[in-house]
Amino acid sequence: MSVVALVPAAGRGERLGYGMAKALVPVNGVPLLVRAVRGLLDAGCVQHVVVAAPPSDVDAMCTVTASLASAGGAVHVLAGGAERTDSVRLALEYALREIPDTSIVLVHDAARAFTPGAVVRRVVEAVRAGHPAVIPVLPMADTVKQVDADGAVVATPDRAALRIVQTPQGFTADVLLRAHASGVQATDDAGLVERLGVPVTTVEGHANAMKITTPFDLAVAEALLTGGTT
C-alpha cells in the first residue's frame, strides 16, 4: 500500500517579494519545492508526491521536479485550485484515482522545505500504528495572549497545553477524503478532521521544519539550514 504526499504549492507568496510562485522561490539556488519534495522522497517511506501547482506554473514545476523521481518514488504535478483547501482536495482526488493503492496520505507545505526525514517517518509510523490523523508539533516557547476585536487582552492561555503545528500531517486516505467532502476552507487539514470528531494524535516535530514565508525566514534558511550548499 502506497504512502502519498500531497504538496499544495499554488500560493503566490507575495510576502517573500519574488513575484513568482512561492514554491519556486530559490534558497541558495534551489527552489523550495525541490527541497521539500526531495526531503519527502529521501525519508524512505513516501512512494508518490503529488504537487498542486498554480495553473500557469504546471510546466515549470514539472521541469524542476523531473530529476527527483527515482526507482523508489514518483512525482506528479497538476493544476491546483484558488485556495489551499481546493488544491489539497484536487491532489487527493488525483491520488485516489491514479494511485489506487493509496492508503496513507501526507499533506506537506512546500514552504517547510527543510523538514527532517525523521519527522516524516514519525508521522507515517504513527498512522501505520492505527492513528487516523497525526500531526508533528513543537512546544510553545512564547507567552500567548487572547485579545478581543479592539486588541484588549481577555485571557492568557496556559502555554504548557499549547503546541505549534507543523507538516507533514498524516491521515488514512478515507479520513482525509471525508474531511474534504465538507467543502469548508481551512489552512490546517487536521482542523477539518477534528470537525468529524476523529482523534488527532501528535508526534515530535523539529525546529528545522520552520515555515518560510518572509524574507527574514528565507535569510535564516540560507544562513543556517543549507550550510551554504545545494
Side-chain angles (χ1 to χ4, degrees), residues 15-85:
R15 281 179 290 177
L16 280 174
Y18 267 74
M20 65 172 68
K22 181 179 182 178
L24 293 176
V25 171
V27 181
N28 278 2
V30 180
L32 287 168
L33 179 64
V34 171
R35 292 185 181 275
V37 172
R38 181 189 293 156
L40 288 165
L41 294 175
D42 285 352
C45 55
V46 176
Q47 287 76 50
H48 297 266
V49 178
V50 181
V51 178
S56 60
D57 291 309
V58 169
D59 289 344
M61 292 193 182
C62 282
T63 299
V64 299
T65 59
S67 65
L68 300 178
S70 65
V75 181
H76 316 254
V77 181
L78 53 86
E83 303 292 338
R84 182 187 186 279
T85 304

Side-chain angles (χ1 to χ4, degrees), residues 179-206:
H180 278 273
S182 68
V184 175
Q185 297 291 331
T187 57
D188 175 60
D189 296 277
L192 292 177
V193 170
E194 290 167 38
R195 290 171 175 263
L196 300 176
V198 173
V200 178
T201 299
T202 65
V203 296
E204 183 183 0
H206 195 283

Side-chain angles (χ1 to χ4, degrees), residues 30-197:
V30 180
L32 287 168
L33 179 64
V34 171
R35 292 185 181 275
V37 172
R38 181 189 293 156
L40 288 165
L41 294 175
D42 285 352
C45 55
V46 176
Q47 287 76 50
H48 297 266
V49 178
V50 181
V51 178
S56 60
D57 291 309
V58 169
D59 289 344
M61 292 193 182
C62 282
T63 299
V64 299
T65 59
S67 65
L68 300 178
S70 65
V75 181
H76 316 254
V77 181
L78 53 86
E83 303 292 338
R84 182 187 186 279
T85 304
D86 300 324
S87 292
V88 173
R89 177 179 50 79
L90 290 168
L92 177 60
E93 291 172 350
Y94 174 93
L96 295 178
R97 183 177 66 251
E98 303 295 333
I99 312 167
D101 64 340
T102 297
S103 60
I104 295 175
V105 181
L106 307 181
V107 183
H108 189 44
D109 296 329
R112 298 186 188 275
F114 295 92
T115 300
V119 174
V120 181
R121 291 189 291 273
R122 279 196 287 270
V123 172
V124 171
E125 288 164 4
V127 179
R128 282 182 173 151
H131 300 288
V134 180
I135 57 175
V137 300
L138 289 177
M140 176 72 70
D142 296 326
T143 297
V144 177
K145 300 289 186 181
Q146 180 181 345
V147 300
D148 63 18
D150 298 319
V153 173
V154 297
T156 304
D158 179 6
R159 70 182 182 189
L162 300 177
R163 295 295 183 270
I164 297 169
V165 181
Q166 301 179 321
T167 70
Q169 299 184 354
F171 311 91
T172 57
D174 63 308
V175 164
L176 189 59
L177 184 63
R178 286 170 51 206
H180 278 273
S182 68
V184 175
Q185 297 291 331
T187 57
D188 175 60
D189 296 277
L192 292 177
V193 170
E194 290 167 38
R195 290 171 175 263
L196 300 176

